[in-house]
Amino acid sequence: MGWGLGANDSANVFGTAVSSRMVNYRIAILLTALFVMLGAIIGGEPGIVTLSKELRKDTAFTVKNETDIAKADRKARRTAVVVTFAAAFTVIILTVAKMPISTSQAVVGAIAGVAVLQRSLDIGSLLKIIACWLGTPLGAMLLTFIFYYAFRGLIRKLTPSVFVYDPIMSLLLIICGCYGAYALGANNVANVSAIFVGHNMLTMSEAKIFGGITIAFGVITYAKPVMMTVGKSIVKLGAFDALICVLSHAVTVHVYALIGVPVSTTQAIVGSVIGIGIIKGGQTINYRTLARISLGWFATPFMAALLSILLYFAANLYYIPE
Amino acid sequence: MFIFRKNKALLEQYTSYLSLCSETLVLFREAMEHSFKNGLDEHFDVLAAKVHEKESDADDTRRLIECTMYEQSLLPESREDLLDIIERIDMIPNCVDHLATLLTIQKIPVLPVLKNDTMELLGTSLEAFKYTREAALDSLMKMEKIKELQALIGDNESIGDRLEHKMIRTVFAMDINTGDKLVQKDMINQLGDICNLCEHVMDRIVICSIKRKL
């Protein structure tokens, strides 16, 4: 899960700078890996607390009702495996189907699915998370409007030469990329390791380091293809628009990391790009693609929940001799 | 600051390239002036060789700029625009170099009757290039004079066109054989091309500056 996250989502933060050769790919992945680790370790705790809360409640329930503690522990581990597997499988299936995916939605969907079976779903927390999911693209879009007009006003006032504007823009893209990587680590580490904290398999510090390392590993080993693809499609917007997108996406994801709700960095970047599309005139938006993206966002949690329900059900089937 | 240092070198190369192009045109005018006074003699060949030398220097600087651009921190869209502008500007020294070489090889001078109009056309072309050079620099700087320069280049191009047509009419009204008429017409067209090329460069500069305005 961490590997997939690192390989996929790092493209949102440094794709622009790498594909336009403003920053060397090796430097970009090293910076991304470093800042993802820092984000996970420094700012990852609130998200891990949110995602592990529901499962902790589940564990407490199980332990209270089971006399055999070892049995309860086995059941908790089984839950952790089912949730991780269901989320990972959902991500793989939707990736193969070329649907835009959100790892956060897959993880939350899988946790919610098992929690429904265990009758321990915290509806309040789930609603808070869903509200944040809706808020991610909308928030990124709103921030895009704010940053776009603010920075444009400043640049128009200063009208710097190409020889000053371009290096500053490159530098800002690198800084925002690092900030985006930090926000990615802080926000998404919970998707990777919260489940293990919920079942007391890892301590909070171990979970942050473990999650950070796995995401960083994905960045280092497999980020290039996605980074080049996403980067090139963003670069078409122009460097200024790309900078606004990366910045809005990073701020949005970081805000949710502070609140403690894991959200999708892809949703944030898509929200930002749509924001730019609206600024440039609504006709530039491909509504068919938008509908496809929305369908993917809708399908991910439901599919993960369904899968986790089926897997959890299958994992708890016992042969009882007559 | 270190991030601006490399681009400063690029700006210097770009300025030097524009100067070399300008020098090529000035040398060509000198050569033409000489041809009207003394015909296509050995000294004309020397001047034509100097035109070619300057054009080659401009080409070398252009290649250097292209390499520097990809090593420095210019954004892709700026690299693309700068490259396009330079390639279009490059057609101007190429055009005069070609004409100078043609005169050296063919040894057919521009008819003396066309002297005043030719020198006026060259003066107009030089002025048009002066504005183009200014606009090429301004488009990468503050973009304050683009509209004004576009209008000036437009005016020069119109004057150039009128002179070109007048010269062709003069040639075809003369009692010379058709072959000579066609050779003269070809040379006049090439002389008139300088103003047209300046206008084409300016059109591209305007698009680039519109793109730069957020």
Side-chain angles (χ1 to χ4, degrees):
Chain A
M1 181 72 75
W3 181 85
L5 246 170
N8 267 289
D9 292 12
S10 58
N12 296 333
V13 293
F14 261 114
T16 315
V18 170
S19 62
S20 57
R21 296 170 65 186
M22 278 180 266
V23 56
N24 181 287
Y25 171 70
R26 283 183 186 180
I27 294 172
I29 58 163
L30 284 177
L31 284 173
T32 311
L34 175 71
F35 280 91
V36 158
M37 284 282 292
L38 284 174
I41 293 164
I42 299 168
E45 192 165 334
I48 294 178
V49 168
T50 305
L51 278 198
S52 59
K53 216 193 282 175
E54 287 156 84
L55 288 161
R56 210 181 286 140
K57 191 178 160 191
D58 169 52
T59 308
F61 175 82
T62 312
V63 169
K64 204 169 75 180
N65 290 282
E66 299 275 354
T67 44
D68 188 350
I69 300 295
K71 253 187 186 176
D73 189 46
R74 273 205 301 277
K75 192 176 176 184
R77 280 168 196 271
R78 203 180 300 141
T79 306
V81 171
V82 162
V83 165
T84 310
F85 190 77
F89 201 60
T90 305
V91 168
I92 292 166
I93 291 172
L94 290 176
T95 305
V96 171
K98 290 180 181 172
M99 297 278 273
I101 51 135
S102 159
T103 322
S104 310
Q105 285 183 324
V107 170
V108 171
I111 292 171
V114 172
V116 165
L117 276 189
Q118 293 175 339
R119 292 176 192 168
S120 61
L121 181 66
D122 187 339
I123 300 287
S125 293
L126 187 66
L127 288 176
K128 175 187 157 191
I129 291 171
I130 291 170
C132 290
W133 284 349
L134 293 171
T136 305
L138 294 175
M141 205 186 294
L142 184 69
L143 282 174
T144 300
F145 295 147
I146 295 167
F147 289 142
Y148 185 92
Y149 289 110
F151 280 96
R152 191 180 71 169
L154 188 72
I155 291 168
R156 277 186 177 176
K157 203 174 171 186
L158 297 172
T159 50
S161 79
V162 165
F163 304 102
V164 173
Y165 175 85
D166 284 20
I168 289 179
M169 200 52 77
S170 304
L171 195 67
L172 285 175
L173 268 166
I174 294 168
I175 293 169
C176 287
C178 291
Y179 177 47
Y182 176 89
L184 171 71
N187 190 294
N188 278 203
V189 70
N191 293 333
V192 182
S193 51
I195 194 89
F196 303 109
V197 177
H199 289 92
N200 301 319
M201 290 159 77
L202 291 175
T203 64
M204 180 59 78
S205 306
E206 285 167 351
K208 288 192 282 187
I209 294 168
F210 166 71
I213 287 173
T214 53
I215 299 173
F217 184 66
V219 173
I220 289 168
T221 55
Y222 204 72
K224 195 168 187 178
V226 191
M227 203 175 258
M228 296 310 279
T229 311
V230 173
K232 276 179 183 157
S233 63
I234 294 174
V235 147
K236 280 177 195 160
L237 293 169
F240 176 75
D241 299 338
L243 174 76
I244 298 299
C245 283
V246 175
L247 180 63
S248 316
H249 136 274
V251 173
T252 308
V253 174
H254 190 206
V255 166
Y256 284 116
L258 294 172
I259 298 168
V261 177
V263 290
S264 163
T265 53
T266 311
Q267 285 182 351
I269 203 88
V270 168
S272 303
V273 173
I274 293 170
I276 292 286
I278 292 169
I279 291 168
K280 304 271 176 190
Q283 71 274 12
T284 56
I285 301 169
N286 185 337
Y287 290 98
R288 217 171 151 180
T289 309
L290 193 61
R292 192 177 153 78
I293 290 170
S294 308
L295 182 69
W297 291 349
F298 188 75
T300 308
F302 281 101
M303 191 171 164
L306 192 69
L307 259 175
S308 73
I309 287 171
L310 289 172
L311 285 171
Y312 188 76
F313 185 74
N316 285 286
L317 282 176
Y318 295 102
Y319 172 68
I320 304 166
E322 280 185 45
Chain B
M1 268 170 81
F2 74 98
I3 55 166
F4 305 122
R5 204 181 302 147
K6 285 182 174 178
N7 277 343
K8 203 180 158 193
L10 182 64
L11 175 62
E12 278 165 13
Q13 285 167 3
Y14 186 53
T15 315
S16 147
Y17 171 74
L18 292 171
S19 299
L20 283 167
C21 293
S22 193
E23 283 167 33
T24 313
L25 288 181
V26 172
L27 267 171
F28 178 71
R29 186 174 62 174
E30 211 178 293
M32 287 305 288
E33 217 164 7
H34 177 84
S35 79
F36 282 119
K37 275 182 195 160
N38 309 296
L40 299 172
D41 59 2
E42 273 181 16
H43 187 64
F44 178 84
D45 289 353
V46 172
L47 288 171
K50 277 187 182 174
V51 169
H52 180 70
E53 209 175 288
K54 283 282 172 208
E55 193 270 337
S56 293
D57 289 348
D59 268 349
D60 292 343
T61 313
R62 178 175 58 84
R63 285 187 201 105
L64 189 68
I65 291 169
E66 285 167 8
C67 293
T68 314
M69 249 187 327
Y70 281 90
E71 288 164 6
Q72 318 307 340
S73 52
L74 278 192
L75 294 169
E77 55 251 48
S78 306
R79 284 197 292 246
E80 224 171 79
D81 289 344
L82 189 56
L83 200 67
D84 199 17
I85 291 172
I86 287 176
E87 274 173 4
R88 280 167 196 251
I89 291 176
D90 197 51
M91 291 163 88
I92 299 168
N94 278 354
C95 173
V96 294
D97 179 39
H98 178 70
L99 195 51
T101 312
L102 209 68
L103 286 165
T104 318
I105 298 166
Q106 291 181 170
K107 295 286 179 201
I108 301 173
V110 176
L111 294 170
V113 71
L114 301 173
K115 183 193 168 189
N116 290 341
D117 287 338
T118 304
M119 293 320 289
E120 198 184 333
L121 180 58
L122 276 172
T124 310
S125 304
L126 266 170
E127 200 175 88
F129 187 75
K130 191 185 97 185
Y131 298 140
T132 308
R133 184 182 165 180
E134 229 175 290
L137 270 173
D138 192 47
S139 69
L140 303 177
M141 299 297 187
K142 297 260 176 190
M143 300 180 294
E144 289 164 333
K145 294 181 277 182
I146 300 288
K147 273 193 175 177
E148 184 195 329
L149 292 167
Q150 188 188 17
L152 288 169
I153 291 169
D155 290 346
N156 277 45
E157 199 268 339
S158 300
I159 295 168
D161 273 352
R162 272 202 298 275
L163 282 166
E164 192 184 334
H165 297 156
K166 186 186 161 196
M167 284 158 78
I168 293 171
R169 258 197 305 272
T170 309
V171 168
F172 279 85
M174 286 172 78
D175 189 20
I176 52 173
N177 68 56
T178 313
D180 287 342
K181 281 179 186 174
L182 289 174
V183 171
Q184 291 294 321
K185 181 182 156 266
D186 184 45
M187 286 194 288
I188 293 164
N189 281 340
Q190 288 193 48
L191 281 168
D193 268 353
I194 304 169
C195 278
N196 295 335
L197 289 169
C198 287
E199 199 182 38
H200 290 163
V201 174
M202 193 60 211
D203 288 344
R204 185 64 207 167
I205 287 170
V206 170
I207 291 168
C208 293
S209 58
I210 290 169
K211 269 168 72 187
R212 269 193 66 210
K213 276 179 190 158
L214 293 169

